[in-house]
PDB file of all heavy atoms in Angstrom:
ATOM      1  N   GLY Q 150     130.985 104.744 123.176  1.00  0.00           N
ATOM      2  CA  GLY Q 150     130.095 104.396 121.991  1.00  0.00           C
ATOM      3  C   GLY Q 150     130.961 103.618 120.960  1.00  0.00           C
ATOM      4  O   GLY Q 150     132.131 103.507 121.117  1.00  0.00           O
ATOM      5  N   LEU Q 151     130.278 103.136 119.953  1.00  0.00           N
ATOM      6  CA  LEU Q 151     130.925 102.233 118.907  1.00  0.00           C
ATOM      7  C   LEU Q 151     130.574 102.751 117.549  1.00  0.00           C
ATOM      8  O   LEU Q 151     129.442 103.152 117.258  1.00  0.00           O
ATOM      9  CB  LEU Q 151     130.375 100.779 119.019  1.00  0.00           C
ATOM     10  CG  LEU Q 151     131.004  99.738 118.059  1.00  0.00           C
ATOM     11  CD1 LEU Q 151     132.488  99.653 118.319  1.00  0.00           C
ATOM     12  CD2 LEU Q 151     130.268  98.458 118.159  1.00  0.00           C
ATOM     13  N   VAL Q 152     131.568 102.986 116.736  1.00  0.00           N
ATOM     14  CA  VAL Q 152     131.459 103.481 115.371  1.00  0.00           C
ATOM     15  C   VAL Q 152     131.947 102.263 114.417  1.00  0.00           C
ATOM     16  O   VAL Q 152     133.026 101.711 114.564  1.00  0.00           O
ATOM     17  CB  VAL Q 152     132.189 104.723 115.154  1.00  0.00           C
ATOM     18  CG1 VAL Q 152     132.136 105.174 113.724  1.00  0.00           C
ATOM     19  CG2 VAL Q 152     131.668 105.782 116.043  1.00  0.00           C
ATOM     20  N   GLY Q 153     131.110 102.133 113.384  1.00  0.00           N
ATOM     21  CA  GLY Q 153     131.495 101.186 112.307  1.00  0.00           C
ATOM     22  C   GLY Q 153     131.678 101.808 110.980  1.00  0.00           C
ATOM     23  O   GLY Q 153     130.857 102.666 110.616  1.00  0.00           O
ATOM     24  N   ASN Q 154     132.676 101.387 110.233  1.00  0.00           N
ATOM     25  CA  ASN Q 154     132.926 101.930 108.830  1.00  0.00           C
ATOM     26  C   ASN Q 154     133.113 100.866 107.908  1.00  0.00           C
ATOM     27  O   ASN Q 154     133.774  99.799 108.318  1.00  0.00           O
ATOM     28  CB  ASN Q 154     134.144 102.873 108.829  1.00  0.00           C
ATOM     29  CG  ASN Q 154     134.023 104.021 109.829  1.00  0.00           C
ATOM     30  OD1 ASN Q 154     134.488 103.799 110.904  1.00  0.00           O
ATOM     31  ND2 ASN Q 154     133.487 105.096 109.474  1.00  0.00           N
ATOM     32  N   THR Q 155     132.582 100.936 106.680  1.00  0.00           N
ATOM     33  CA  THR Q 155     132.938  99.990 105.646  1.00  0.00           C
ATOM     34  C   THR Q 155     134.304 100.475 105.014  1.00  0.00           C
ATOM     35  O   THR Q 155     134.533 101.668 104.775  1.00  0.00           O
ATOM     36  CB  THR Q 155     131.857  99.946 104.650  1.00  0.00           C
ATOM     37  OG1 THR Q 155     131.636 101.280 104.025  1.00  0.00           O
ATOM     38  CG2 THR Q 155     130.536  99.380 105.092  1.00  0.00           C
ATOM     39  N   LEU Q 156     135.085  99.407 104.703  1.00  0.00           N
ATOM     40  CA  LEU Q 156     136.384  99.741 104.174  1.00  0.00           C
ATOM     41  C   LEU Q 156     136.380  99.553 102.709  1.00  0.00           C
ATOM     42  O   LEU Q 156     135.591  98.696 102.255  1.00  0.00           O
ATOM     43  CB  LEU Q 156     137.517  98.939 104.761  1.00  0.00           C
ATOM     44  CG  LEU Q 156     137.719  99.091 106.283  1.00  0.00           C
ATOM     45  CD1 LEU Q 156     138.698  98.144 106.786  1.00  0.00           C
ATOM     46  CD2 LEU Q 156     138.118 100.534 106.627  1.00  0.00           C
ATOM     47  N   PRO Q 157     137.144 100.184 101.816  1.00  0.00           N
ATOM     48  CA  PRO Q 157     137.119 100.023 100.412  1.00  0.00           C
ATOM     49  C   PRO Q 157     137.558  98.610 100.017  1.00  0.00           C
ATOM     50  O   PRO Q 157     138.447  97.976 100.725  1.00  0.00           O
ATOM     51  CB  PRO Q 157     138.135 101.073  99.868  1.00  0.00           C
ATOM     52  CG  PRO Q 157     138.983 101.398 100.983  1.00  0.00           C
ATOM     53  CD  PRO Q 157     138.122 101.209 102.213  1.00  0.00           C
ATOM     54  N   GLY Q 158     137.012  98.069  98.973  1.00  0.00           N
ATOM     55  CA  GLY Q 158     137.406  96.720  98.478  1.00  0.00           C
ATOM     56  C   GLY Q 158     136.468  95.657  99.026  1.00  0.00           C
ATOM     57  O   GLY Q 158     135.545  95.914  99.869  1.00  0.00           O
ATOM     58  N   ASN Q 159     136.631  94.467  98.532  1.00  0.00           N
ATOM     59  CA  ASN Q 159     135.795  93.364  99.030  1.00  0.00           C
ATOM     60  C   ASN Q 159     136.741  92.140  99.223  1.00  0.00           C
ATOM     61  O   ASN Q 159     137.578  91.828  98.448  1.00  0.00           O
ATOM     62  CB  ASN Q 159     134.813  92.987  97.816  1.00  0.00           C
ATOM     63  CG  ASN Q 159     133.825  92.005  98.332  1.00  0.00           C
ATOM     64  OD1 ASN Q 159     134.061  90.901  98.853  1.00  0.00           O
ATOM     65  ND2 ASN Q 159     132.573  92.382  98.119  1.00  0.00           N
ATOM     66  N   VAL Q 160     136.647  91.624 100.512  1.00  0.00           N
ATOM     67  CA  VAL Q 160     137.585  90.484 100.824  1.00  0.00           C
ATOM     68  C   VAL Q 160     137.373  89.242  99.950  1.00  0.00           C
ATOM     69  O   VAL Q 160     138.234  88.479  99.833  1.00  0.00           O
ATOM     70  CB  VAL Q 160     137.458  90.246 102.345  1.00  0.00           C
ATOM     71  CG1 VAL Q 160     137.794  91.382 103.124  1.00  0.00           C
ATOM     72  CG2 VAL Q 160     136.078  89.749 102.652  1.00  0.00           C
ATOM     73  N   ASP Q 161     136.068  89.139  99.469  1.00  0.00           N
ATOM     74  CA  ASP Q 161     135.841  87.927  98.629  1.00  0.00           C
ATOM     75  C   ASP Q 161     136.268  88.119  97.169  1.00  0.00           C
ATOM     76  O   ASP Q 161     135.491  88.418  96.291  1.00  0.00           O
ATOM     77  CB  ASP Q 161     134.323  87.510  98.712  1.00  0.00           C
ATOM     78  CG  ASP Q 161     133.916  87.199 100.121  1.00  0.00           C
ATOM     79  OD1 ASP Q 161     134.737  86.676 100.853  1.00  0.00           O
ATOM     80  OD2 ASP Q 161     132.746  87.549 100.498  1.00  0.00           O
ATOM     81  N   SER Q 162     137.619  88.235  97.063  1.00  0.00           N
ATOM     82  CA  SER Q 162     138.184  88.556  95.707  1.00  0.00           C
ATOM     83  C   SER Q 162     137.751  87.496  94.709  1.00  0.00           C
ATOM     84  O   SER Q 162     137.805  87.848  93.478  1.00  0.00           O
ATOM     85  CB  SER Q 162     139.687  88.672  95.765  1.00  0.00           C
ATOM     86  OG  SER Q 162     140.240  87.529  96.249  1.00  0.00           O
ATOM     87  N   GLU Q 163     137.529  86.255  95.055  1.00  0.00           N
ATOM     88  CA  GLU Q 163     137.233  85.317  94.092  1.00  0.00           C
ATOM     89  C   GLU Q 163     135.852  85.456  93.516  1.00  0.00           C
ATOM     90  O   GLU Q 163     135.424  84.792  92.587  1.00  0.00           O
ATOM     91  CB  GLU Q 163     137.405  83.823  94.777  1.00  0.00           C
ATOM     92  CG  GLU Q 163     136.347  83.556  95.870  1.00  0.00           C
ATOM     93  CD  GLU Q 163     136.833  84.146  97.191  1.00  0.00           C
ATOM     94  OE1 GLU Q 163     137.840  84.791  97.281  1.00  0.00           O
ATOM     95  OE2 GLU Q 163     136.151  83.788  98.172  1.00  0.00           O
ATOM     96  N   ALA Q 164     135.016  86.268  94.190  1.00  0.00           N
ATOM     97  CA  ALA Q 164     133.582  86.359  93.742  1.00  0.00           C
ATOM     98  C   ALA Q 164     133.619  87.449  92.616  1.00  0.00           C
ATOM     99  O   ALA Q 164     133.414  88.571  92.986  1.00  0.00           O
ATOM    100  CB  ALA Q 164     132.788  86.752  94.934  1.00  0.00           C
ATOM    101  N   GLU Q 165     133.897  87.075  91.545  1.00  0.00           N
ATOM    102  CA  GLU Q 165     133.966  87.955  90.376  1.00  0.00           C
ATOM    103  C   GLU Q 165     132.617  88.720  90.077  1.00  0.00           C
ATOM    104  O   GLU Q 165     131.599  88.035  90.053  1.00  0.00           O
ATOM    105  CB  GLU Q 165     134.520  87.276  89.140  1.00  0.00           C
ATOM    106  CG  GLU Q 165     135.890  86.691  89.322  1.00  0.00           C
ATOM    107  CD  GLU Q 165     136.393  85.992  88.074  1.00  0.00           C
ATOM    108  OE1 GLU Q 165     135.676  86.099  87.076  1.00  0.00           O
ATOM    109  OE2 GLU Q 165     137.464  85.472  88.057  1.00  0.00           O
ATOM    110  N   GLY Q 166     132.762  89.909  89.741  1.00  0.00           N
ATOM    111  CA  GLY Q 166     131.483  90.657  89.299  1.00  0.00           C
ATOM    112  C   GLY Q 166     130.619  91.099  90.507  1.00  0.00           C
ATOM    113  O   GLY Q 166     129.623  91.789  90.254  1.00  0.00           O
ATOM    114  N   GLU Q 167     131.016  90.836  91.673  1.00  0.00           N
ATOM    115  CA  GLU Q 167     130.206  91.209  92.831  1.00  0.00           C
ATOM    116  C   GLU Q 167     130.455  92.754  93.069  1.00  0.00           C
ATOM    117  O   GLU Q 167     131.519  93.254  93.062  1.00  0.00           O
ATOM    118  CB  GLU Q 167     130.618  90.470  93.989  1.00  0.00           C
ATOM    119  CG  GLU Q 167     129.710  90.767  95.277  1.00  0.00           C
ATOM    120  CD  GLU Q 167     130.011  89.828  96.424  1.00  0.00           C
ATOM    121  OE1 GLU Q 167     130.658  88.784  96.238  1.00  0.00           O
ATOM    122  OE2 GLU Q 167     129.716  90.177  97.524  1.00  0.00           O
ATOM    123  N   GLU Q 168     129.381  93.388  93.186  1.00  0.00           N
ATOM    124  CA  GLU Q 168     129.392  94.785  93.441  1.00  0.00           C
ATOM    125  C   GLU Q 168     129.965  95.203  94.767  1.00  0.00           C
ATOM    126  O   GLU Q 168     129.633  94.683  95.810  1.00  0.00           O
ATOM    127  CB  GLU Q 168     127.919  95.416  93.253  1.00  0.00           C
ATOM    128  CG  GLU Q 168     127.895  96.940  93.450  1.00  0.00           C
ATOM    129  CD  GLU Q 168     126.522  97.396  93.324  1.00  0.00           C
ATOM    130  OE1 GLU Q 168     125.515  96.582  93.171  1.00  0.00           O
ATOM    131  OE2 GLU Q 168     126.268  98.666  93.454  1.00  0.00           O
ATOM    132  N   ARG Q 169     130.848  96.218  94.754  1.00  0.00           N
ATOM    133  CA  ARG Q 169     131.409  96.639  95.997  1.00  0.00           C
ATOM    134  C   ARG Q 169     130.450  97.536  96.741  1.00  0.00           C
ATOM    135  O   ARG Q 169     129.713  98.294  96.159  1.00  0.00           O
ATOM    136  CB  ARG Q 169     132.622  97.434  95.700  1.00  0.00           C
ATOM    137  CG  ARG Q 169     133.824  96.602  95.242  1.00  0.00           C
ATOM    138  CD  ARG Q 169     135.136  97.358  95.116  1.00  0.00           C
ATOM    139  NE  ARG Q 169     136.269  96.635  94.712  1.00  0.00           N
ATOM    140  CZ  ARG Q 169     137.457  97.080  94.596  1.00  0.00           C
ATOM    141  NH1 ARG Q 169     137.722  98.329  94.849  1.00  0.00           N
ATOM    142  NH2 ARG Q 169     138.418  96.278  94.195  1.00  0.00           N
ATOM    143  N   LEU Q 170     130.506  97.420  97.997  1.00  0.00           N
ATOM    144  CA  LEU Q 170     129.570  98.161  98.833  1.00  0.00           C
ATOM    145  C   LEU Q 170     130.033  99.642  99.013  1.00  0.00           C
ATOM    146  O   LEU Q 170     131.316  99.873  99.116  1.00  0.00           O
ATOM    147  CB  LEU Q 170     129.505  97.628 100.238  1.00  0.00           C
ATOM    148  CG  LEU Q 170     129.005  96.132 100.299  1.00  0.00           C
ATOM    149  CD1 LEU Q 170     129.099  95.563 101.732  1.00  0.00           C
ATOM    150  CD2 LEU Q 170     127.581  96.090  99.749  1.00  0.00           C
ATOM    151  N   PRO Q 171     129.163 100.603  98.908  1.00  0.00           N
ATOM    152  CA  PRO Q 171     129.607 102.036  99.092  1.00  0.00           C
ATOM    153  C   PRO Q 171     130.104 102.295 100.477  1.00  0.00           C
ATOM    154  O   PRO Q 171     129.653 101.513 101.471  1.00  0.00           O
ATOM    155  CB  PRO Q 171     128.331 102.809  98.732  1.00  0.00           C
ATOM    156  CG  PRO Q 171     127.224 101.827  99.037  1.00  0.00           C
ATOM    157  CD  PRO Q 171     127.770 100.400  98.743  1.00  0.00           C
ATOM    158  N   GLY Q 172     130.948 103.263 100.662  1.00  0.00           N
ATOM    159  CA  GLY Q 172     131.349 103.673 101.940  1.00  0.00           C
ATOM    160  C   GLY Q 172     130.224 104.086 102.845  1.00  0.00           C
ATOM    161  O   GLY Q 172     129.302 104.731 102.460  1.00  0.00           O
ATOM    162  N   LYS Q 173     130.215 103.550 104.178  1.00  0.00           N
ATOM    163  CA  LYS Q 173     129.130 103.833 105.018  1.00  0.00           C
ATOM    164  C   LYS Q 173     129.596 103.951 106.491  1.00  0.00           C
ATOM    165  O   LYS Q 173     130.587 103.248 106.843  1.00  0.00           O
ATOM    166  CB  LYS Q 173     128.061 102.621 104.866  1.00  0.00           C
ATOM    167  CG  LYS Q 173     126.767 102.869 105.685  1.00  0.00           C
ATOM    168  CD  LYS Q 173     125.923 101.585 105.679  1.00  0.00           C
ATOM    169  CE  LYS Q 173     125.436 101.258 104.258  1.00  0.00           C
ATOM    170  NZ  LYS Q 173     124.532 100.130 104.255  1.00  0.00           N
ATOM    171  N   THR Q 174     129.008 104.834 107.218  1.00  0.00           N
ATOM    172  CA  THR Q 174     129.426 104.948 108.648  1.00  0.00           C
ATOM    173  C   THR Q 174     128.158 104.812 109.479  1.00  0.00           C
ATOM    174  O   THR Q 174     127.177 105.616 109.263  1.00  0.00           O
ATOM    175  CB  THR Q 174     130.192 106.317 108.902  1.00  0.00           C
ATOM    176  OG1 THR Q 174     131.370 106.256 108.072  1.00  0.00           O
ATOM    177  CG2 THR Q 174     130.479 106.345 110.462  1.00  0.00           C
TER     178      THR Q 174
END
Side-chain angles (χ1 to χ4, degrees):
L151 183 66
V152 175
N154 306 90
T155 56
L156 298 176
N159 192 306
V160 296
D161 296 328
S162 57
E163 67 276 7
E165 295 182 3
E167 184 173 341
E168 182 181 358
R169 291 187 177 184
L170 299 174
K173 188 188 299 186
T174 299

